[in-house]
Amino acid sequence: MHFTSEQRLDDGVLEREFTLGEIPGILWTPASASAPAPLILLGHPPLGLRKMYPRLVARARHSAAEGFATATIELPGSGDRPRWPAVEQARADLRRAMEAGEPVSDEIVDALILPLVEKAVPEWQAALEALLLLPEIGGPVGYSGGVISIGIRLAVVEPRIVAAGFFAGSFVPRAMFEEARQVTIPLHVLLQWDDERNDRQAALDLFDAFSSKEKSLHANMGGHTGVPQFAGDAAAQFFTRHLK
């Protein structure tokens, strides 16, 4: 891991950009901490870190106020990373289907999500390995938001992640439902009831598939971008219970 820039935000949070091989990322740490901080990995949609930065830094600052360090990485094919023609074609197919008001086929969802999961999850694990070597970062570790299929796979294969907050707002391949049955860590799942980009029943079925003894579903009225501010407070309480 190589740090490429550093700045202190106005609330004292330290923001450092880094690279891990070809993968860019950002680490935020609280203004002051008497001991290594628990870590939350901030997931996000594949829109690029630059576009997602305002939302990511807001989440990071909110978490820092609770005593958590947070980190994120650029997803494959996004931002300044090399283009990924197959996934870009799947995105184009998805846009075409949605604009035409047609059902989104399983083939489109699989082509869009499964390659991303296969490539992104090992990268998240490599980033986690490097982050936990830093003296200011400790365990335990949580995962929050982003493409829910990536979160599912991480929850299954990464034992250092002990709790996860998922946003049921992305397409989920049918194959991921079987993996969901292997998830046993505590879960906090957010669902926008009128999400125009999400199949509500599929989201409910996915929640039912999780095998976690502790799992809670927080459903709010409104569309994909209408998540209420208080939803962040509930997520913070969830991570405080499980990471501190």
Side-chain angles (χ1 to χ4, degrees):
M1 175 176 285
H2 174 64
F3 287 104
T4 57
S5 71
E6 177 179 314
Q7 67 169 329
R8 186 74 67 172
L9 305 181
D10 56 15
D11 55 0
V13 174
L14 181 61
E15 176 184 283
R16 286 173 285 176
E17 296 186 4
F18 64 84
T19 56
L20 188 67
E22 65 171 16
I23 307 167
I26 310 174
L27 169 65
W28 295 272
T29 47
S32 61
S34 58
L39 176 66
I40 299 175
L41 304 177
L42 297 182
H44 55 90
L47 301 175
L49 285 182
R50 292 180 184 177
K51 184 172 183 178
M52 291 301 302
Y53 176 82
R55 290 166 60 184
L56 288 166
V57 73
R59 291 165 61 192
R61 295 171 85 157
H62 193 275
S63 296
E66 302 295 329
F68 298 116
T70 52
T72 192
I73 59 173
E74 188 73 88
L75 291 175
S78 297
D80 295 328
R81 295 189 63 181
R83 298 297 90 195
W84 199 350
V87 173
E88 289 186 347
Q89 180 61 54
R91 289 175 185 163
D93 293 341
L94 173 65
R95 285 194 298 270
R96 194 157 41 244
M98 295 186 73
E99 289 171 359
E102 299 172 353
V104 178
S105 69
D106 290 345
E107 289 77 12
I108 292 175
V109 174
D110 288 354
L112 181 68
I113 302 297
L114 293 179
L116 185 61
V117 171
E118 292 295 333
K119 191 166 184 178
V121 166
E123 293 181 349
W124 271 112
Q125 290 183 287
L128 176 57
E129 188 75 35
L131 288 163
L132 289 177
L133 293 175
L134 300 174
E136 62 270 35
I137 304 297
V141 180
Y143 176 86
S144 174
V147 178
I148 193 169
S149 293
I150 292 176
I152 292 169
R153 175 68 60 83
L154 277 169
V156 172
V157 304
E158 181 46 72
R160 291 170 292 191
I161 295 176
V162 301
F166 291 155
F167 178 46
S170 55
F171 293 100
V172 181
R174 293 186 184 276
M176 296 306 301
F177 280 72
E178 189 57 40
E179 291 196 37
R181 294 184 177 91
Q182 302 174 50
V183 175
T184 58
I185 62 174
L187 296 178
H188 177 100
V189 182
L190 177 64
L191 171 66
Q192 287 299 101
W193 200 249
D194 306 301
D195 193 335
E196 64 281 4
R197 304 183 191 177
N198 189 38
D199 183 328
R200 182 196 303 163
Q201 189 57 53
L204 295 174
D205 292 343
L206 180 65
F207 180 79
D208 189 51
F210 292 127
S211 295
S212 304
K213 291 182 179 179
E214 180 187 333
K215 59 179 180 178
S216 57
L217 179 67
H218 298 253
N220 295 288
M221 304 303 291
H224 188 80
T225 59
V227 180
Q229 186 172 357
F230 61 77
D233 297 331
Q237 293 169 5
F238 167 79
F239 283 116
T240 296
R241 287 200 308 274
H242 293 288
L243 302 185
K244 285 190 172 181

